[in-house]
């Protein structure tokens, strides 16, 4: 989604804005622009395309020179990507950048047209800019407060008023915005990586708080103009975490960071060899008391929830319902105050997951979020939060966030199974110890990149592919399939292996490669039968299995053999070859791995 950066200080503002925006590229965008005060004049430069296109324009003598300004990367919602629809928007008096969607922009636009305003773009954002101009009475805070009363929808806004060339203003509702606090310089940004080069200290702007930011001060008030005191937070991500560190792509770096991410995430949640989740505020006894568990999330995070369902139901014998957040919020789910709703989100800002959280709270259910970004909206608004410690995930395709989400799912399952006496203390210890060993097992799996590269070379010319598996392997293969399609643009579906015969097997020919995930001993024979079925119909089969599988080498065309660990934990290892296969296929196809077309890292609109 869109990215916002703002700067006030002594540095060259355009450089800081472009640099900050480059750290937000991962969010996905199709155009970029900046506005800088040149003395008392607001100078705007913007361009369709990538940041480089904007930089090219600026190199042709169009770079605004000054020390105070705002910048934006746009992910089109209203109006196609174009120079005109790019932000900033406004006029000589008020200029803004916006992330979010203004739901009632049409009536506001009609009203403003009736008042003599003209519009250049098709965006909802321009309406807000002109509305601010309409209300402007010399007092920016008062003007923004009027705007808040009028506008419905979500917004994070960076605002410049021509009459105040030493400052920028910021306000947000349902879209993220932070204020970076430096020495004689201050920032606004959609996310921490944009400011890390300059400062680690920041304020979180709350709903409808209005900030006035100069080089020396940040003054924050609510929409009734009452001053708000805020705690300065310190980001614990270091700047290297947001750089590629010698890897060709962030995705490859993040795949390789999984051992560390898992270790850092689980270490504080294990005490004396047993799961310990109480720092989140949720105890085993509380977990035990819930009638039912719902897991709600989107995309990869939802896939982590699916693995969680299998593991919790298998070990703890508690019913778990997994929902796609955009479905959950509109299907009037049967949640009550006796239920626990678990929200999983890397960013903590996903609009549908946030809406699901609000719904769960309205219905009185307890809410627990599993979130990677500290202080994000979902984390702050849940009753309980367990932070994953993956560090910043920059590549749009989620990898390490998935692994840490799985790790927390396992700890929850172990804890719940133990307090419910569905497993013995000894089994709980065994499983916890196996989880602790995962980072070491993973190092071995990460060495298999050449094997996966070779398999990718066999897939690269395919138009479509099937992932198959049973039980946990089926849940896991959904993530493998999503990874492949989102970055390599090869159509892919994940299918329950036993369901193939009921229709989908008619698609299987020599042109339909199949990746079979077969890590679960109790279902192995059945999955192998399905593999034989597809192979005898011409499919080239890759099988991801554990090293102890004694299988005729002709069963599959390619085997990826993983270290043997407890079956229940195999998804943590088997995810890696899937990620590698997707990655190398996309690289071989020359795709933009870290920023696939049409996708945004953090989906903050519905
Ligand atoms: O930030 P979230 O975890 O809430 O994001 C949810 C999905 O948009 C996300 O997992 C998406 O599916 C991945 N980027 C795919 O790799």
């Amino acid at each position: 989604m869109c990215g916002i950066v703002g700067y006030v200080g002594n540095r060259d503002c355009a450089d800081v804005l472009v640099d900050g925006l480059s750290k937000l590229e991962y969010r996905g965008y199709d155009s970029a622009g900046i506005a800088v005060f040149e003395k008392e004049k607001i100078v705007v430069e913007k361009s369709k395309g990538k940041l480089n296109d904007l930089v090219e324009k600026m190199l042709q003598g169009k770079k605004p020179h000054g020390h105070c300004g705002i910048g934006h990367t746009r992910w089109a919602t209203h109006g196609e990507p174009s120079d005109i629809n790019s932000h900033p928007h406004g006029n000589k008096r008020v200029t803004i950048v916006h992330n979010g969607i203004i739901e009632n922009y049409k009536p506001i636009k009609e009203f403003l047209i009736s008042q003599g305003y003209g519009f250049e773009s098709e965006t909802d954002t321009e309406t807000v800019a002109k509305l601010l101009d309409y209300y402007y009475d010399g007092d920016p805070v008062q003007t923004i407060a009027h705007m808040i009363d009028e506008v419905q929808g979500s917004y994070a806004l960076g605002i410049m008023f021509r009459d105040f060339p030493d400052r920028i203003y910021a306000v947000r509702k349902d879209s993220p915005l932070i204020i970076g606090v430096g020495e004689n310089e201050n920032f606004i940004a959609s996310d921490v990586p944009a400011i890390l080069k300059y400062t680690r200290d920041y304020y979180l702007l709350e709903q409808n708080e209005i900030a006035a930011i100069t080089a020396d001060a940040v003054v924050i008030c609510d929409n009734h103009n009452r001053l708000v005191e805020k705690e300065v937070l310190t980001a614990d991500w270091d700047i290297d975490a947001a750089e590629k560190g010698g890897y060709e792509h962030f995705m490859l770096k993040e795949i390789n960071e999984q051992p560390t991410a898992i270790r850092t995430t689980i270490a504080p949640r294990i005490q004396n060899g047993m799961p310990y989740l109480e720092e989140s505020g949720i105890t085993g006894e509380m977990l035990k008391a819930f009638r039912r568990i719902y897991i709600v999330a989107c995309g990869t995070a939802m896939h982590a929830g699916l693995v969680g369902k299998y593991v919790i139901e298998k070990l703890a014998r508690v019913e778990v319902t997994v929902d796609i957040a955009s479905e959950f919020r509109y299907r009037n789910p049967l949640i009550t105050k006796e239920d626990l709703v678990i929200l999983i989100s890397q960013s903590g800002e996903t609009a549908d997951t946030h809406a699901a959280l609000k719904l769960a709270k309205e219905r009185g259910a307890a809410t627990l979020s599993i979130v990677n970004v500290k202080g994000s909206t979902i984390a702050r608004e849940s009753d309980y939060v367990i932070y994953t410690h993956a560090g910043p995930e920059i590549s749009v395709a989620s990898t390490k966030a998935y692994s840490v989400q799985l790790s927390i799912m396992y700890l929850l399952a172990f804890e719940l199974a133990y307090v419910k006496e569905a497993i013995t203390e000894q089994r709980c210890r065994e499983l916890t110890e196996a989880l602790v060993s995962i980072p070491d097992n993973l190092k071995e799996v990460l060495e298999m990149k050449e094997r996966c590269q070779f398999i990718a070379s066999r897939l690269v010319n395919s138009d479509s592919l099937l992932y198959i598996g049973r039980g946990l392997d089926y849940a896991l293969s959904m993530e493998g399939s999503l990874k492949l399609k989102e970055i390599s643009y090869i159509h892919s579906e994940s299918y329950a292996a036993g369901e193939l015969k009921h229709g989908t097997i008619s698609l299987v020919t020599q042109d339909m490669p199949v990746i079979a995930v077969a890590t679960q001993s109790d279902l192995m024979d059945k999955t192998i039968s399905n593999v034989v079925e597809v192979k005898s119909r011409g499919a080239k089969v890759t099988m991801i299995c554990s090293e102890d599988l004694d299988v005729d080498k002709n069963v599959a065309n390619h085997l990826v053999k993983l270290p043997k660990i407890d079956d229940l934990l195999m998804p943590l290892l088997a995810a890696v070859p899937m990620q590698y296969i997707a990655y190398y296929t996309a690289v071989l196809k020359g795709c933009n791995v870290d920023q696939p077309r049409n996708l945004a890292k953090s989906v903050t609109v519905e």
Side-chain angles (χ1 to χ4, degrees):
M1 301 281 108
C2 306
I4 290 178
V5 178
Y7 177 73
V8 197
N10 294 320
R11 299 176 203 256
D12 181 299
C13 183
D15 289 349
V16 177
L17 296 178
V18 170
D19 175 63
L21 291 174
S22 74
K23 302 293 186 305
L24 299 179
E25 281 190 299
Y26 70 89
R27 294 169 72 85
Y29 72 108
D30 46 55
S31 46
I34 61 171
V36 174
F37 274 112
E38 278 193 346
K39 300 213 170 95
E40 272 148 38
K41 194 167 136 213
I42 300 173
V43 179
V44 173
E45 196 52 68
K46 52 192 190 176
S47 170
K48 178 184 163 189
K50 291 290 173 194
L51 265 176
N52 272 346
D53 298 301
L54 176 67
V55 172
E56 281 297 317
K57 262 191 170 177
M58 296 204 293
L59 285 174
Q60 288 157 23
K62 292 187 172 170
K63 178 178 170 187
H65 293 283
H67 303 284
C68 175
I70 51 181
H72 189 261
T73 43
R74 173 174 187 252
W75 190 83
T77 57
H78 297 65
E80 58 172 12
S82 69
D83 286 0
I84 289 200
N85 287 333
S86 309
H87 301 206
H89 286 289
N91 56 21
K92 293 195 171 85
R93 204 157 66 146
V94 186
T95 297
I96 71 169
V97 290
H98 167 221
N99 172 22
I101 286 188
I102 305 303
E103 284 158 8
N104 60 340
Y105 82 100
K106 279 193 179 140
I108 298 176
K109 188 169 176 175
E110 278 161 22
F111 167 75
L112 289 168
I113 290 171
S114 76
Q115 298 300 304
Y117 279 89
F119 285 83
E120 287 177 346
S121 76
E122 299 158 89
T123 63
D124 50 344
T125 304
E126 193 180 358
T127 312
V128 179
K130 303 277 162 80
L131 186 67
L132 285 164
D133 184 80
Y134 173 76
Y135 282 133
Y136 185 63
D137 58 0
D139 179 347
V141 172
Q142 191 68 23
T143 304
I144 295 169
H146 267 127
M147 182 277 300
I148 291 174
D149 290 343
E150 196 74 24
V151 157
Q152 287 158 18
S154 57
Y155 47 83
L157 294 169
I159 310 171
M160 296 161 77
F161 290 90
R162 182 194 55 195
D163 297 346
F164 296 86
D166 64 337
R167 67 194 62 185
I168 54 178
Y169 288 84
V171 61
R172 76 161 202 106
K173 177 180 162 259
D174 293 340
S175 287
L177 201 67
I178 59 164
I179 301 173
V181 185
E183 264 191 37
N184 303 321
E185 58 182 357
N186 290 308
F187 307 79
I188 60 172
S190 298
D191 200 357
V192 171
I195 59 163
L196 272 182
K197 186 166 161 186
Y198 312 98
T199 179
R200 285 158 183 274
D201 294 338
Y202 66 98
Y203 294 118
L204 279 174
L205 206 57
E206 298 288 347
Q207 298 281 75
N208 284 330
E209 286 177 346
I210 302 167
I213 300 141
T214 58
D216 311 318
V218 175
V219 179
I220 302 174
C221 59
D222 65 15
N223 52 344
H224 302 295
N225 215 347
R226 291 179 295 230
L227 278 183
V228 177
E229 287 292 324
K230 275 200 174 292
E231 185 195 350
V232 179
L233 306 176
T234 302
D236 54 10
W237 294 349
D238 69 44
I239 184 152
D240 294 344
E243 303 289 342
K244 282 192 203 147
Y247 286 92
E248 199 178 340
H249 297 101
F250 279 111
M251 181 174 175
L252 188 58
K253 175 177 179 241
E254 288 160 7
I255 291 172
N256 281 276
E257 283 172 347
Q258 290 178 105
T260 309
I262 293 176
R263 192 175 290 115
T264 319
T265 297
I266 62 174
R269 277 82 190 228
I270 295 174
Q271 268 191 11
N272 303 321
M274 293 288 277
Y276 176 80
L277 296 165
E278 294 189 10
E279 40 109 62
S280 67
I282 202 148
T283 63
E285 287 306 314
M286 286 159 81
L287 281 175
K288 186 174 150 186
F290 294 114
R291 183 190 69 135
R292 190 197 274 225
I293 295 176
Y294 287 83
I295 302 178
V296 188
C298 301
T300 294
M302 191 274 294
H303 292 156
L306 281 175
V307 172
K309 170 188 166 76
Y310 274 90
V311 179
I312 294 171
E313 289 190 343
K314 193 162 193 162
L315 279 182
R317 312 303 298 153
V318 173
E319 195 179 338
V320 180
T321 303
V322 179
D323 259 286
I324 296 170
S326 55
E327 291 292 316
F328 178 87
R329 64 184 288 192
Y330 294 119
R331 77 169 170 83
N332 197 4
L334 296 168
I335 30 173
T336 70
K337 53 181 182 318
E338 289 158 22
D339 299 329
L340 172 67
V341 178
I342 301 178
L343 296 308
I344 309 180
S345 176
Q346 187 284 128
S347 62
E349 300 291 349
T350 301
D352 285 317
T353 311
H354 182 217
L357 164 68
K358 289 207 259 195
L359 177 66
K361 291 185 84 170
E362 269 163 38
R363 301 276 169 96
T367 53
L368 165 67
S369 62
I370 297 171
V371 172
N372 196 43
V373 177
K374 298 224 173 68
S376 54
T377 308
I378 293 171
R380 279 181 292 147
E381 292 182 15
S382 313
D383 300 320
Y384 310 100
V385 54
I386 300 178
Y387 281 112
T388 52
H389 300 308
E393 190 180 62
I394 307 291
S395 173
V396 166
S398 191
T399 53
K400 61 177 178 172
Y402 177 69
S403 304
V404 293
Q405 287 160 355
L406 289 190
S407 308
I408 295 296
M409 285 282 106
Y410 280 109
L411 285 174
L412 272 169
F414 302 165
E415 169 95 358
L416 185 56
Y418 173 63
V419 291
K420 289 204 69 168
E421 296 178 16
I423 57 171
T424 61
E425 180 177 335
Q426 192 195 339
R427 177 75 177 131
C428 190
R429 285 185 184 283
E430 273 167 22
L431 286 166
T432 309
E433 198 182 327
L435 183 64
V436 171
S437 304
I438 289 289
D440 292 332
N441 306 133
L442 268 180
K443 284 191 183 140
E444 207 179 314
V445 183
L446 286 165
E447 295 296 311
M448 298 178 182
K449 54 177 165 306
E450 274 85 16
R451 179 100 197 103
C452 298
Q453 220 165 348
F454 170 75
I455 292 166
S457 72
R458 308 284 103 181
L459 301 177
V460 69
N461 294 318
S462 312
D463 295 325
S464 191
L465 175 148
L466 275 182
Y467 257 102
I468 60 170
R470 286 172 179 259
L472 264 179
D473 290 330
Y474 172 45
L476 174 68
S477 70
M478 291 198 189
E479 176 56 11
S481 171
L482 173 66
K483 219 71 316 164
L484 185 83
K485 69 185 138 199
E486 71 175 325
I487 60 168
S488 77
Y489 314 144
I490 293 177
H491 169 257
S492 152
E493 252 186 90
S494 157
Y495 233 77
E499 182 66 8
L500 276 180
K501 288 194 200 66
H502 300 282
T504 306
I505 201 163
S506 67
L507 290 174
V508 175
T509 65
Q510 59 182 6
D511 297 324
M512 174 71 86
V514 173
I515 302 183
V517 190
T519 67
Q520 303 298 300
S521 329
D522 55 342
L523 295 166
M524 190 60 67
D525 293 345
K526 295 191 183 302
T527 310
I528 289 177
S529 303
N530 299 127
V531 167
V532 172
E533 283 160 10
V534 291
K535 191 153 180 280
S536 63
R537 282 160 181 82
K540 301 279 179 302
V541 181
T542 297
M543 198 158 143
I544 300 175
C545 54
S546 79
E547 65 194 358
D548 69 334
L549 180 68
D550 186 16
V551 66
D552 182 310
K553 68 176 179 0
N554 295 322
V555 160
N557 302 78
H558 315 291
L559 286 177
V560 179
K561 288 202 161 192
L562 302 168
K564 174 69 191 147
I565 58 167
D566 196 298
D567 275 4
L568 213 57
L569 292 160
M570 282 305 279
L572 280 165
L573 302 192
V576 170
M578 295 178 172
Q579 296 165 346
Y580 269 156
I581 289 171
Y583 172 77
Y584 285 114
T585 308
V587 170
L588 287 170
K589 284 191 73 179
C591 299
N592 185 343
V593 173
D594 286 332
Q595 292 164 41
R597 68 181 175 218
N598 303 339
L599 288 179
K601 179 70 181 163
S602 166
V603 184
T604 52
V605 295
E606 192 176 345

